[in-house]
Amino acid sequence: MRVWFLSAGLALICMAQNAAAGTVLIVGDSISAAFGLDTRQGWVSLLEQRLKHEGFTDTVVNASISGDTSAGGQARLPALLVEHKPAVVILELGGNDGLRGLLPTQLQQNLASMIDNAKASGAKVLLLGMQLPPNYGVRYTEAFAKVYSDLADEKKIPWVPFFLQGVGGNPELMQADGIHPAVVAQGKLLENVWPTLKPLL
């Protein structure tokens, strides 16, 4: 009888762990798609390794596409939500909107729509903020950065103020194009995300 209770207890623990496991869906652009690198070197791959190392059983789905904008992500998200049924959605978009000089108001509308759709599906949302180089002008760069803080406040979601904190603007951590993080920066990107992501798992 004692053995039976022990076996039943172990089975319940396993069931609880499986029930807690979910899918982390990352919808981003070239930074999360590991542009210029072997994808196994990117921060998303490092995230998968961190999850396993810390005993999480969550599955990571990287739906990031180089060159994608917030409009592209908005168009792709509904099908991704249906296909993967994620427990957590990480939004890493907007950099290409800014580099193209698109209106911050449109970026905000697109990201707001994505946040609403993800939350409506039952997923938790983590927003990764972006900032632009100062050569885009103070007025535009401030309006761009404010999009993320405003959305985090309005939608009551966790966010990382600047995903590239400690990386952007540092030539030693960037690839030759000065836009995409190098291999040595990928661990830093993960560390920028992990403290805010872990409580959502």
Side-chain angles (χ1 to χ4, degrees):
M1 183 65 72
R2 183 179 177 183
V3 173
W4 184 88
F5 277 116
L6 181 59
S7 298
L10 290 173
L12 287 173
I13 291 173
C14 290
M15 289 174 63
Q17 290 178 334
N18 289 335
T23 296
V24 178
L25 174 66
I26 301 171
V27 185
D29 51 33
S30 56
I31 297 176
S32 294
F35 178 86
L37 309 175
D38 184 322
T39 55
R40 293 171 295 183
Q41 299 173 316
W43 81 269
V44 176
S45 181
L46 297 181
L47 170 61
E48 293 179 292
Q49 297 173 33
R50 174 70 62 86
L51 290 171
K52 292 178 181 177
H53 178 73
E54 298 207 9
F56 291 96
T57 56
D58 300 77
T59 299
V60 177
V61 174
N62 191 358
S64 302
I65 297 177
S66 293
D68 205 8
T69 62
S70 62
Q74 180 188 25
R76 295 192 294 119
L77 183 61
L80 291 170
L81 293 174
V82 171
E83 180 180 357
H84 300 291
K85 299 177 176 58
V88 178
V89 174
I90 300 177
L91 298 180
E92 183 272 300
L93 287 168
N96 289 313
D97 295 60
L99 294 176
R100 297 177 186 182
L102 301 180
L103 291 175
T105 52
Q106 188 60 58
L107 169 63
Q108 186 158 345
Q109 291 175 17
N110 294 340
L111 290 176
S113 175
M114 295 183 74
I115 293 167
D116 290 342
N117 286 341
K119 292 175 71 173
S121 76
K124 300 173 184 177
V125 180
L126 172 57
L127 181 64
L128 304 187
M130 294 298 295
Q131 296 177 17
L132 296 175
N135 59 295
Y136 279 77
V138 174
R139 183 176 179 181
Y140 185 75
T141 55
E142 289 183 349
F144 180 88
K146 192 171 183 293
V147 165
Y148 298 92
S149 58
D150 285 352
L151 284 172
D153 290 340
E154 177 189 347
K155 303 298 182 180
K156 303 294 188 295
I157 59 171
W159 71 303
V160 174
F162 185 29
F163 178 38
L164 297 182
Q165 183 67 42
V167 175
N170 186 338
E172 295 181 358
L173 298 180
M174 302 296 286
Q175 296 182 43
D177 61 12
I179 297 175
H180 298 96
V183 172
V184 294
Q186 299 303 309
K188 175 59 178 173
L189 296 181
L190 175 59
E191 294 307 320
N192 288 345
V193 174
W194 182 248
T196 311
L197 172 61
K198 186 175 181 180
L200 303 179
L201 301 172

